[in-house]
Amino acid sequence: MDKLYKVMTYGCQMNVHESEKIAGILEELGYKEAGDTIPDIYVFNTCCIRDTAEKHIFGNLGVVKTEKKNKKDMIVAVVGCMTQQAGYDALLKQKYPYVDIVLGTRNLDQLKEAIFNVLESRKKEKKYKYMSQEMVQDYLETDDKIPVTRTSYPNAWVNIIYGCNNFCTYCIVPYVRGRELSRPMDAIVDEVRRCLDEGYKEITLLGQNVNSYGNDLKDGHTNFANLLKEVGTLDYDFRLRFMTNHPKDLTEDVVEAMASSKRICNNIHLPVQSGSNKVLKDMNRHYTREKYFSLIEMLRKAMPDIGITSDIMVGFPTETEEDFKDTMDLVEQVRYSNAFTFIYSPRQGTPAAAMEQIPYEIKKRRIGELIKLQNKITKELSNDYVGNVYRVLAEDVAPKLEGMVCGRTESGRLVNFGGTKEDVGTFFNVRIEQSKSASLFGKKE
Ligand code: 5AD
Ligand code: SF4
């Protein structure tokens, strides 16, 4: 009988794509995706950006403990961001003795060897745990050789830069993902071409900060604008998206490259985090609200129909009621098509975690007000779509809506429209008939 695997993915798109690499490695070893059955190997691809992510993972690891009691030869692996935090290897050793493999963010290539070692040691009935969390420097070479089982057709994720050098004072990412490492441009273009040859219709370039792509290579040519120009002119019918951006590094060249390519979507995720200059400074973000407004203006001037989304945080330790009002005011002025809103969560080892914290009730009230405001704006902007026709890529069958598929406009708006599984991967002109808060409903023309 086939050996089965299950990858549990938490966190960002970077992790979603890394799970495709984990699946690639496991399938090469002969494992098959388990679906709803209890697998022979679980891989937890973890996140630690907020406390809620960690709680969720530990809860699910507890469930696996029970499953493993009935399936003694099951292998449990915990990989990625969470494992990289100070003290977590000791924690995983002591509190989760049934975890067999622990691999850090730059050690995925060792998964095969780790499984082999676990199986060998079991034959000898030896107690064994494979652990490796070294921030290796030659990561790009090993990573390039990992097979990928893509799971998000018609979209293909393509990494362009790993790690982060920014050290925003609230953020754990630079500690768990290490310093920036950019992939060479030709390796990226080759991968994009392969995906397009295989029939993928949308490419999403990934990085913690795509705008600093190439800085570490220091060759005078490799930068994000040039990469966009190169990928954006490949002669296929496809869409190009990218995430995530940092306002301090977004340049005019990038905006020009976006505006001049018909393949690059008029859509940008530009996290602002806060609308208060004082809080932005305390967060070590290196821009002001005025600078942010000027970026929005530049983007809208170049692409009047651009969809702009954001990440916004409330409850940063130094955020006063005035500062929060500045955030609300910025949100009213920018009019994001959508925003991810977060309550600040202290992360051990980051500068902001050592500051005096704001009571939870205040954070909760602020996030409530922010969500209410953004929902109102999202709804108003959705109404503007009604009656018009947009090119939409059918991305999947619509969950819970029989006879419908879902996809997005170039600006990133979610649209549900009549269709079947066979439509997935095809572009359609869709007339929008109705809007319901963030999603739109339409009909193929
Ligand atoms: N608490 C809450 N939200 C956070 N983010 C990053 N770190 C934290 C934290 N400690 C948010 C930021 C970032 C998004 C991916 O997660 O808004 O842009
Ligand atoms: Fe975290 Fe800031 Fe780096 Fe984004 S840019 S990953 S928020 S440190």
Side-chain angles (χ1 to χ4, degrees), residues 49-50 170-171 271 273 311-313 342-345 347:
I49 195 112
R50 282 171 289 276
Y170 51 80
C171 187
Q273 312 299 356
D311 292 343
I312 311 165
M313 210 186 292
F342 305 107
I343 289 184
Y344 165 73
S345 156
R347 304 283 71 206

Side-chain angles (χ1 to χ4, degrees), residues 41 68 75-79 83 89 92-93 96-104 106-122 126-134 136:
I41 180 165
K68 193 167 169 170
I75 296 176
V76 181
V78 177
V79 308
T83 71
D89 44 358
L92 283 164
K93 256 190 194 144
Y96 301 88
Y98 55 95
V99 171
D100 306 289
I101 297 168
V102 178
L103 295 174
R106 294 192 182 179
N107 316 97
L108 259 192
D109 60 302
Q110 294 173 44
L111 182 58
K112 197 167 159 179
E113 182 190 339
I115 294 171
F116 182 77
N117 286 3
V118 168
L119 293 174
E120 280 303 298
S121 67
R122 280 188 187 167
K126 272 206 318 226
K127 210 170 152 72
Y128 180 79
K129 207 183 197 83
Y130 188 104
M131 297 184 97
S132 174
Q133 292 124 298
E134 201 195 333
V136 287

